[in-house]
Amino acid sequence: MLDKKMNLHSFKAKKGKEKITSITAYDALMAKIFDGEVDMILVGDSLKMSFGGESETLGASMEEMIYHTKAVCKGVKYSFVIADMPFGSYATKDMALTNALRFYKETATDAIKLEVGLEKLDIVRSLCDEGIAVMAHIGLKPQFMRFDGGFKVKGKEETQAKELLQTALAMQEAGAFGILIEGVKSDVAAQITESLEIPTIGIGAGVDCDGQILVWSDVFGFFDEFKPKFVRRYLEGKNLLKDAIRAYASDVKNKAFPHSQESY
Ligand code: KIV
């Protein structure tokens, strides 16, 4: 349990000392429960899938991400908060700066995350030069799923593995404080982690990353339409909630709720 607020310095200082723990959250209620139990909370655009019922993340808007980031920040006192920049919000340097500044001015987020390749290097550099903390998301990039033709594991071929390493090193040089590695072969993610001074956070990228992240509705068994290989379930949330809603509905039907003690 954290006893003081995690900041950029304490986050980076964990590299090589202690694994970094993280999870997503999209509202104050969940953020309050997770706060301090994990080092980092990501307001991911995965909310479009797990909560919005969509099959991809591309529809997330700035307004939605700002709304959810504000809510998460309201629930957090200790963990480091990162907000996802939605698809299309960092297409050019000017757009990236305008939208990243909105996150900083309108919410209390500690940092932002962008899905990147080398083509985004100048954008990442200009954000960092402006004092914005950037986490660079490489590997399987959900915002590129239409372009890639689905969610595809990366780093299987040598040229792709080399490109991932080159991208991670370039992002570090441009000022990124961390690299999120998604859906990448474990040995490639391990090599990237070893080559960097900044921490890597993995999702489907093996045990050697500096930390791990999972989407909360996956980990706690609320989203069960499919379970990616990299997800471990720590709760059967959907089943528990189903039992509870059935018990409540049955009590109402049978006039077992409310009791006299629950009435005025
Ligand atoms: O949007 C998200 O939740 C993410 C995680 C999958 C890392 O980017």
Side-chain angles (χ1 to χ4, degrees):
M1 176 83 195
L2 299 175
D3 58 5
K4 58 178 191 284
K5 171 76 182 155
M6 175 76 62
N7 58 30
L8 199 54
H9 178 74
S10 45
F11 181 87
K12 281 161 77 176
K14 285 195 172 277
K15 176 142 184 137
K17 297 204 178 82
E18 208 188 331
K19 289 283 187 188
I20 299 169
T21 55
S22 45
I23 195 157
T24 63
Y26 314 116
D27 55 57
L29 188 71
M30 285 299 142
K32 253 185 206 165
I33 297 172
F34 303 151
D35 186 31
E37 305 293 342
V38 288
D39 300 311
M40 173 188 127
I41 294 179
L42 171 72
V43 190
D45 57 3
S46 53
L47 63 87
K48 287 307 274 189
M49 296 176 70
S50 47
F51 285 82
E54 293 184 16
S55 59
E56 53 177 27
T57 60
L58 279 70
S61 67
M62 275 300 294
E63 268 56 44
E64 285 168 332
M65 294 310 297
I66 289 208
Y67 170 85
H68 288 282
T69 305
K70 262 187 195 166
V72 166
C73 291
K74 292 257 187 252
V76 169
K77 279 201 192 115
Y78 300 106
S79 301
F80 191 72
V81 177
I82 305 188
D84 247 348
M85 296 272 290
F87 178 64
S89 68
Y90 50 100
T92 65
K93 243 194 235 183
D94 283 350
M95 284 173 84
L97 201 53
T98 304
N99 288 319
L101 288 174
R102 277 195 69 189
F103 274 107
Y104 265 54
K105 286 175 185 287
E106 295 176 37
T107 80
T109 194
D110 296 300
I112 53 157
K113 174 168 83 61
L114 270 66
E115 295 182 13
V116 301
L118 283 174
E119 74 291 340
K120 291 275 189 273
L121 195 60
D122 283 349
I123 290 179
V124 170
R125 196 188 305 281
S126 71
L127 294 177
C128 296
D129 287 350
E130 207 55 42
I132 292 161
V134 176
M135 176 168 271
H137 181 153
I138 64 168
L140 187 164
K141 296 178 285 183
Q143 292 178 5
F144 285 70
M145 76 90 89
R146 287 191 205 169
F147 190 81
D148 282 353
F151 296 113
K152 302 259 167 68
V153 173
K154 298 288 156 93
K156 288 184 177 164
E157 298 116 38
E158 179 130 12
T159 46
Q160 212 173 50
K162 276 195 184 139
E163 198 182 311
L164 285 168
L165 175 60
Q166 196 194 352
T167 306
L169 286 167
M171 292 297 156
Q172 171 176 267
E173 188 275 322
F177 73 92
I179 307 288
L180 190 139
I181 309 178
E182 177 166 1
V184 167
K185 294 269 294 163
S186 304
D187 56 335
V188 177
Q191 199 203 348
I192 295 172
T193 301
E194 208 182 288
S195 311
L196 293 173
E197 282 160 25
I198 55 175
T200 60
I201 306 295
I203 174 162
V207 75
D208 292 317
C209 294
D210 295 307
Q212 298 291 328
I213 186 161
L214 284 173
V215 169
W216 88 258
S217 45
D218 290 339
V219 194
F220 301 131
F222 287 95
F223 182 82
D224 68 351
E225 274 159 43
F226 59 91
K227 186 174 103 50
K229 180 179 175 182
F230 57 80
V231 170
R232 186 182 295 178
R233 259 193 209 145
Y234 286 85
L235 188 77
E236 290 303 327
K238 180 177 158 185
N239 296 342
L240 290 171
L241 210 50
K242 275 268 186 208
D243 289 347
I245 188 73
R246 282 177 188 151
Y248 165 63
S250 153
D251 282 355
V252 170
K253 281 208 165 76
N254 299 320
K255 298 188 191 165
F257 176 83
H259 253 219
S260 55
Q261 299 98 302
E262 290 156 335
S263 307
Y264 295 103

Short mmCIF file of all heavy atoms in Angstrom, two decimals, residues 23-26 40 42-50 57 65 84 113 115 135 137 140 142-143 180-182 201-203 213-216 218 230, ligand 1:
data_model
loop_
_atom_site.label_atom_id
_atom_site.label_comp_id
_atom_site.label_asym_id
_atom_site.label_seq_id
_atom_site.Cartn_x
_atom_site.Cartn_y
_atom_site.Cartn_z
N ILE A 23 -3.14 -0.95 -13.13
CA ILE A 23 -4.44 -1.44 -13.59
C ILE A 23 -5.17 -0.26 -14.23
O ILE A 23 -4.79 0.90 -14.00
CB ILE A 23 -5.24 -2.03 -12.39
CG1 ILE A 23 -6.43 -2.87 -12.87
CG2 ILE A 23 -5.71 -0.94 -11.41
CD1 ILE A 23 -6.90 -3.89 -11.86
N THR A 24 -6.21 -0.54 -15.01
CA THR A 24 -7.01 0.56 -15.56
C THR A 24 -8.14 0.90 -14.58
O THR A 24 -8.52 0.08 -13.74
CB THR A 24 -7.66 0.17 -16.91
OG1 THR A 24 -8.58 -0.90 -16.68
CG2 THR A 24 -6.64 -0.21 -17.95
N ALA A 25 -8.66 2.10 -14.69
CA ALA A 25 -9.90 2.50 -14.01
C ALA A 25 -10.51 3.61 -14.85
O ALA A 25 -9.79 4.32 -15.57
CB ALA A 25 -9.64 2.99 -12.59
N TYR A 26 -11.84 3.72 -14.77
CA TYR A 26 -12.52 4.71 -15.61
C TYR A 26 -13.43 5.64 -14.81
O TYR A 26 -14.09 6.50 -15.38
CB TYR A 26 -13.35 3.98 -16.68
CG TYR A 26 -12.60 2.86 -17.36
CD1 TYR A 26 -13.01 1.53 -17.26
CD2 TYR A 26 -11.44 3.13 -18.10
CE1 TYR A 26 -12.31 0.51 -17.87
CE2 TYR A 26 -10.73 2.10 -18.71
CZ TYR A 26 -11.16 0.79 -18.59
OH TYR A 26 -10.47 -0.21 -19.19
N MET A 40 0.23 2.54 -10.31
CA MET A 40 -0.25 3.39 -11.42
C MET A 40 -1.66 2.99 -11.83
O MET A 40 -2.00 1.81 -11.83
CB MET A 40 0.72 3.17 -12.59
CG MET A 40 0.37 3.80 -13.88
SD MET A 40 1.54 3.17 -15.12
CE MET A 40 0.39 2.59 -16.33
N LEU A 42 -4.29 3.61 -15.04
CA LEU A 42 -4.43 4.14 -16.40
C LEU A 42 -5.89 4.34 -16.75
O LEU A 42 -6.69 3.42 -16.62
CB LEU A 42 -3.82 3.14 -17.42
CG LEU A 42 -4.08 3.46 -18.89
CD1 LEU A 42 -3.28 4.68 -19.35
CD2 LEU A 42 -3.76 2.26 -19.78
N VAL A 43 -6.22 5.55 -17.19
CA VAL A 43 -7.55 5.79 -17.73
C VAL A 43 -7.44 5.45 -19.21
O VAL A 43 -7.07 6.28 -20.04
CB VAL A 43 -7.99 7.26 -17.53
CG1 VAL A 43 -9.47 7.41 -17.87
CG2 VAL A 43 -7.70 7.74 -16.11
N GLY A 44 -7.65 4.18 -19.51
CA GLY A 44 -7.42 3.68 -20.87
C GLY A 44 -8.62 3.90 -21.77
O GLY A 44 -9.77 3.87 -21.32
N ASP A 45 -8.33 4.05 -23.08
CA ASP A 45 -9.45 4.15 -24.01
C ASP A 45 -10.09 2.77 -24.23
O ASP A 45 -11.09 2.64 -24.94
CB ASP A 45 -9.04 4.82 -25.33
CG ASP A 45 -7.91 4.11 -26.04
OD1 ASP A 45 -7.45 3.07 -25.56
OD2 ASP A 45 -7.48 4.62 -27.11
N SER A 46 -9.54 1.75 -23.56
CA SER A 46 -10.18 0.43 -23.54
C SER A 46 -11.59 0.53 -22.96
O SER A 46 -12.39 -0.39 -23.10
CB SER A 46 -9.35 -0.56 -22.71
OG SER A 46 -9.10 -0.03 -21.42
N LEU A 47 -11.90 1.64 -22.30
CA LEU A 47 -13.25 1.82 -21.75
C LEU A 47 -14.31 1.75 -22.85
O LEU A 47 -15.46 1.38 -22.59
CB LEU A 47 -13.37 3.13 -20.97
CG LEU A 47 -13.18 4.48 -21.65
CD1 LEU A 47 -14.48 4.99 -22.26
CD2 LEU A 47 -12.66 5.51 -20.68
N LYS A 48 -13.92 2.08 -24.09
CA LYS A 48 -14.90 2.00 -25.19
C LYS A 48 -15.34 0.55 -25.41
O LYS A 48 -16.46 0.29 -25.80
CB LYS A 48 -14.31 2.53 -26.50
CG LYS A 48 -14.13 4.01 -26.58
CD LYS A 48 -15.39 4.79 -26.27
CE LYS A 48 -16.31 5.02 -27.41
NZ LYS A 48 -17.40 5.96 -27.04
N MET A 49 -14.39 -0.38 -25.15
CA MET A 49 -14.71 -1.81 -25.34
C MET A 49 -15.35 -2.40 -24.09
O MET A 49 -16.44 -2.93 -24.13
CB MET A 49 -13.43 -2.59 -25.69
CG MET A 49 -12.83 -2.16 -27.00
SD MET A 49 -11.28 -2.97 -27.38
CE MET A 49 -11.80 -4.64 -27.72
N SER A 50 -14.67 -2.24 -22.94
CA SER A 50 -15.16 -2.94 -21.75
C SER A 50 -16.45 -2.32 -21.22
O SER A 50 -17.30 -3.02 -20.69
CB SER A 50 -14.09 -2.99 -20.67
OG SER A 50 -13.50 -1.74 -20.51
N THR A 57 -11.27 0.54 -29.87
CA THR A 57 -11.13 1.73 -29.02
C THR A 57 -11.22 3.03 -29.80
O THR A 57 -11.20 4.12 -29.21
CB THR A 57 -9.75 1.71 -28.31
OG1 THR A 57 -8.72 1.72 -29.32
CG2 THR A 57 -9.59 0.50 -27.43
N MET A 65 -12.67 11.11 -22.72
CA MET A 65 -11.45 10.78 -21.97
C MET A 65 -11.20 11.79 -20.85
O MET A 65 -10.74 11.44 -19.77
CB MET A 65 -10.23 10.70 -22.92
CG MET A 65 -10.29 9.55 -23.92
SD MET A 65 -10.66 7.93 -23.20
CE MET A 65 -9.27 7.66 -22.14
N ASP A 84 -5.10 8.16 -21.35
CA ASP A 84 -4.89 7.81 -22.75
C ASP A 84 -5.33 8.95 -23.65
O ASP A 84 -6.46 9.44 -23.54
CB ASP A 84 -5.77 6.59 -23.10
CG ASP A 84 -4.94 5.36 -23.41
OD1 ASP A 84 -3.72 5.47 -23.59
OD2 ASP A 84 -5.55 4.27 -23.46
N LYS A 113 -0.64 9.07 -22.22
CA LYS A 113 -0.07 7.95 -23.00
C LYS A 113 -0.51 8.06 -24.45
O LYS A 113 -1.67 8.39 -24.72
CB LYS A 113 -0.53 6.62 -22.40
CG LYS A 113 -0.10 5.40 -23.21
CD LYS A 113 -0.30 4.10 -22.47
CE LYS A 113 -1.69 3.52 -22.52
NZ LYS A 113 -2.19 3.18 -23.87
N GLU A 115 -0.11 6.03 -28.40
CA GLU A 115 0.32 4.83 -29.13
C GLU A 115 1.22 5.30 -30.27
O GLU A 115 0.80 6.09 -31.11
CB GLU A 115 -0.91 4.07 -29.66
CG GLU A 115 -1.74 3.53 -28.51
CD GLU A 115 -2.95 2.71 -28.96
OE1 GLU A 115 -3.04 2.33 -30.15
OE2 GLU A 115 -3.82 2.45 -28.10
N MET A 135 4.04 8.67 -21.69
CA MET A 135 4.33 7.24 -21.77
C MET A 135 4.08 6.82 -23.21
O MET A 135 3.02 7.14 -23.77
CB MET A 135 3.46 6.44 -20.80
CG MET A 135 3.67 4.94 -20.94
SD MET A 135 2.91 4.00 -19.61
CE MET A 135 4.25 3.98 -18.41
N HIS A 137 3.38 4.03 -25.97
CA HIS A 137 2.77 2.69 -26.08
C HIS A 137 3.21 2.08 -27.40
O HIS A 137 2.88 2.61 -28.46
CB HIS A 137 1.25 2.88 -26.00
CG HIS A 137 0.43 1.64 -26.07
ND1 HIS A 137 -0.81 1.55 -25.49
CD2 HIS A 137 0.63 0.43 -26.65
CE1 HIS A 137 -1.33 0.35 -25.70
NE2 HIS A 137 -0.47 -0.35 -26.42
N LEU A 140 1.60 -4.04 -29.95
CA LEU A 140 0.21 -4.11 -30.40
C LEU A 140 -0.46 -2.81 -29.98
O LEU A 140 -0.54 -2.51 -28.79
CB LEU A 140 -0.47 -5.33 -29.77
CG LEU A 140 -1.87 -5.70 -30.23
CD1 LEU A 140 -2.19 -7.12 -29.80
CD2 LEU A 140 -2.95 -4.75 -29.77
N PRO A 142 -3.86 -0.90 -30.06
CA PRO A 142 -5.29 -1.09 -30.38
C PRO A 142 -5.86 0.00 -31.31
O PRO A 142 -6.77 -0.29 -32.08
CB PRO A 142 -5.97 -1.06 -29.01
CG PRO A 142 -4.89 -1.52 -28.07
CD PRO A 142 -3.61 -0.97 -28.62
N GLN A 143 -5.30 1.22 -31.25
CA GLN A 143 -5.81 2.28 -32.13
C GLN A 143 -5.48 2.01 -33.61
O GLN A 143 -5.98 2.67 -34.50
CB GLN A 143 -5.27 3.64 -31.69
CG GLN A 143 -5.83 4.09 -30.35
CD GLN A 143 -5.27 5.42 -29.87
OE1 GLN A 143 -4.52 6.10 -30.57
NE2 GLN A 143 -5.62 5.80 -28.65
N LEU A 180 5.05 1.56 -22.59
CA LEU A 180 4.09 0.49 -22.40
C LEU A 180 4.24 -0.47 -23.59
O LEU A 180 4.19 -0.04 -24.74
CB LEU A 180 2.66 1.04 -22.32
CG LEU A 180 1.65 -0.04 -21.87
CD1 LEU A 180 0.65 0.55 -20.89
CD2 LEU A 180 0.93 -0.67 -23.03
N ILE A 181 4.48 -1.74 -23.26
CA ILE A 181 4.70 -2.73 -24.32
C ILE A 181 3.51 -3.70 -24.32
O ILE A 181 3.31 -4.42 -23.35
CB ILE A 181 6.00 -3.54 -24.08
CG1 ILE A 181 7.20 -2.61 -23.84
CG2 ILE A 181 6.26 -4.46 -25.25
CD1 ILE A 181 8.51 -3.35 -23.54
N GLU A 182 2.75 -3.67 -25.40
CA GLU A 182 1.56 -4.54 -25.45
C GLU A 182 1.72 -5.62 -26.53
O GLU A 182 2.15 -5.34 -27.65
CB GLU A 182 0.29 -3.70 -25.75
CG GLU A 182 -0.94 -4.59 -25.90
CD GLU A 182 -2.28 -3.85 -25.85
OE1 GLU A 182 -2.28 -2.60 -25.71
OE2 GLU A 182 -3.31 -4.54 -25.94
N ILE A 201 6.25 -1.12 -18.95
CA ILE A 201 5.07 -1.75 -18.35
C ILE A 201 4.51 -2.68 -19.42
O ILE A 201 4.23 -2.25 -20.54
CB ILE A 201 3.99 -0.68 -18.00
CG1 ILE A 201 4.56 0.43 -17.11
CG2 ILE A 201 2.77 -1.33 -17.36
CD1 ILE A 201 5.00 0.01 -15.74
N GLY A 202 4.34 -3.93 -19.07
CA GLY A 202 3.90 -4.91 -20.06
C GLY A 202 2.45 -5.32 -19.91
O GLY A 202 1.90 -5.34 -18.80
N ILE A 203 1.85 -5.62 -21.05
CA ILE A 203 0.53 -6.28 -21.07
C ILE A 203 0.63 -7.30 -22.20
O ILE A 203 0.80 -6.93 -23.37
CB ILE A 203 -0.65 -5.28 -21.21
CG1 ILE A 203 -1.98 -6.04 -21.38
CG2 ILE A 203 -0.45 -4.25 -22.31
CD1 ILE A 203 -3.23 -5.21 -21.10
N ILE A 213 0.42 -4.35 -16.42
CA ILE A 213 -0.88 -3.69 -16.36
C ILE A 213 -1.94 -4.64 -16.92
O ILE A 213 -1.64 -5.43 -17.83
CB ILE A 213 -0.91 -2.34 -17.12
CG1 ILE A 213 -2.26 -1.64 -16.90
CG2 ILE A 213 -0.63 -2.50 -18.62
CD1 ILE A 213 -2.25 -0.16 -17.21
N LEU A 214 -3.14 -4.58 -16.39
CA LEU A 214 -4.28 -5.31 -16.97
C LEU A 214 -5.50 -4.40 -16.91
O LEU A 214 -5.53 -3.43 -16.13
CB LEU A 214 -4.55 -6.61 -16.20
CG LEU A 214 -3.59 -7.79 -16.47
CD1 LEU A 214 -3.87 -8.94 -15.53
CD2 LEU A 214 -3.64 -8.28 -17.92
N VAL A 215 -6.48 -4.72 -17.74
CA VAL A 215 -7.74 -3.97 -17.77
C VAL A 215 -8.63 -4.52 -16.64
O VAL A 215 -8.81 -5.73 -16.53
CB VAL A 215 -8.42 -4.15 -19.15
CG1 VAL A 215 -9.84 -3.61 -19.14
CG2 VAL A 215 -7.59 -3.46 -20.23
N TRP A 216 -9.17 -3.63 -15.80
CA TRP A 216 -9.79 -4.10 -14.56
C TRP A 216 -10.96 -5.04 -14.76
O TRP A 216 -11.13 -6.02 -14.04
CB TRP A 216 -10.10 -2.96 -13.60
CG TRP A 216 -11.44 -2.27 -13.75
CD1 TRP A 216 -11.67 -1.07 -14.35
CD2 TRP A 216 -12.72 -2.72 -13.27
NE1 TRP A 216 -13.00 -0.75 -14.29
CE2 TRP A 216 -13.66 -1.74 -13.62
CE3 TRP A 216 -13.15 -3.84 -12.57
CZ2 TRP A 216 -15.02 -1.87 -13.32
CZ3 TRP A 216 -14.51 -3.97 -12.27
CH2 TRP A 216 -15.41 -2.98 -12.64
N ASP A 218 -11.33 -7.17 -17.05
CA ASP A 218 -10.80 -8.49 -17.42
C ASP A 218 -10.32 -9.22 -16.17
O ASP A 218 -10.66 -10.38 -15.95
CB ASP A 218 -9.60 -8.36 -18.37
CG ASP A 218 -9.96 -7.88 -19.76
OD1 ASP A 218 -11.13 -8.02 -20.14
OD2 ASP A 218 -9.06 -7.37 -20.45
N PHE A 230 -3.15 -13.49 -22.08
CA PHE A 230 -2.34 -12.84 -21.05
C PHE A 230 -3.12 -12.43 -19.80
O PHE A 230 -2.54 -11.94 -18.83
CB PHE A 230 -1.62 -11.61 -21.63
CG PHE A 230 -2.55 -10.58 -22.24
CD1 PHE A 230 -3.22 -9.68 -21.44
CD2 PHE A 230 -2.74 -10.53 -23.61
CE1 PHE A 230 -4.08 -8.74 -21.99
CE2 PHE A 230 -3.59 -9.60 -24.18
CZ PHE A 230 -4.27 -8.71 -23.36
O1 KIV B 1 -6.58 1.44 -23.12
C1 KIV B 1 -6.03 0.68 -22.32
O2 KIV B 1 -6.61 0.19 -21.34
C2 KIV B 1 -4.64 0.33 -22.59
C3 KIV B 1 -4.15 -0.91 -21.92
C4 KIV B 1 -4.54 -2.07 -22.74
C5 KIV B 1 -2.72 -0.87 -21.65
O3 KIV B 1 -3.97 0.97 -23.33
#
